Amino acid sequence: MSKRSRQALHPAIQANDRDARIVAALERLGEVLRNRAWDTGVAMGVSPLHVQLLGYLHARSDEGTRAVDLAAHFHLSKPTVSVAIRSLEEHGAVLQTTSRTDGRAKVITLTKKGHRMAEGAATHLDVLLPLLERIAGDERDALYASLFKLLDAARVAGLVRVDRMCSTCEHFSERNGRPYCTLLRKPLGPADLRVDCPEHQAA
């Protein structure tokens, strides 16, 4: 892996470096989602971090989540997450209760109001969906396959935590050189791979 500094956002570097152009494009798309999270939070009277936390909790509403897991997922300190959770408690959006599986641990779950807020918060991600529809299906499949590989490489490098993606699941294997899910008992095409599978079992 090259260790040279590319300064990917510098136009002169991008002119002669395809990978720098890819990184710059991803950064700009990330800004679209950051701006949408900010606008959504302002409309709801919460912060962009609250928007992210609500979305994450909504996707895992049945099991509850520990603050330490939120901190790891979002690469934040536990005190930062604790402050954000207390604020959501003051909004009546979350409850902290004793875990059913570990009496020493507290888990965070959404209240009814929290579910309503989370449904509104999650809409900030929808902005890209109609834009993706303008891209041909086979190109979208190729795009997703490439993004999956990039995300998995970032996970392996310790840059991001992805708890429920196929490549970290005990049901994931390879057969005849192709990804295979032993739970579904079928091979997986590039577009079938999941970054957040509810049936995930850590390998």
Side-chain angles (χ1 to χ4, degrees):
M1 181 180 293
S2 171
K3 293 185 180 298
R4 71 182 187 275
S5 174
R6 300 195 177 190
Q7 300 178 353
L9 296 185
H10 197 294
I13 300 296
Q14 294 176 33
N16 300 300
D17 192 324
R18 175 203 58 203
D19 292 352
R21 293 193 293 272
I22 292 173
V23 171
L26 290 171
E27 194 277 335
R28 298 305 295 167
L29 287 171
E31 183 156 343
V32 170
L33 297 180
R34 287 192 297 272
N35 288 340
R36 292 291 296 181
W38 178 270
D39 292 342
T40 300
V42 168
M44 296 174 61
V46 297
S47 74
L49 176 56
H50 290 139
V51 170
Q52 291 179 293
L53 293 175
L54 287 167
Y56 184 93
L57 292 169
H58 189 55
R60 292 156 177 77
S61 58
D62 293 336
E63 58 208 68
T65 305
R66 299 179 304 166
V68 65
D69 293 324
L70 289 171
H73 180 82
F74 290 105
H75 279 236
L76 297 169
S77 68
K78 191 171 182 294
T80 297
V81 170
S82 296
V83 169
I85 292 301
R86 282 199 297 273
S87 177
L88 287 174
E89 281 186 298
E90 291 170 1
H91 279 84
V94 300
L95 289 174
Q96 294 194 68
T97 57
T98 302
S99 169
R100 288 176 292 182
T101 58
D102 183 354
R104 299 166 299 176
K106 295 285 188 179
V107 294
I108 302 153
T109 55
L110 293 172
T111 63
K112 289 183 178 180
K113 179 180 179 180
H115 279 290
R116 291 194 300 271
M117 292 176 66
E119 288 169 2
T123 60
H124 82 279
L125 297 174
D126 294 347
V127 65
L128 293 180
L129 294 178
L131 307 183
L132 284 168
E133 292 175 0
R134 302 179 187 179
I135 302 173
D138 57 345
E139 291 183 274
R140 273 181 275 170
D141 287 344
L143 173 63
Y144 178 70
S146 296
L147 289 173
F148 184 93
K149 289 180 180 179
L150 182 60
L151 178 62
D152 197 38
R155 176 192 64 80
V156 172
L159 299 176
V160 66
R161 176 171 169 174
V162 191
D163 291 327
R164 305 200 298 186
M165 71 186 305
C166 285
S167 53
T168 65
C169 182
E170 69 173 15
H171 301 303
F172 181 78
S173 64
E174 286 197 5
R175 295 191 182 180
N176 300 318
R178 294 185 60 191
Y180 187 90
C181 179
T182 58
L183 179 66
L184 299 178
R185 299 180 181 179
K186 70 174 188 177
L188 301 174
D192 297 323
L193 296 169
R194 302 281 294 275
V195 298
D196 191 12
C197 179
E199 282 78 38
H200 182 277
Q201 294 292 327

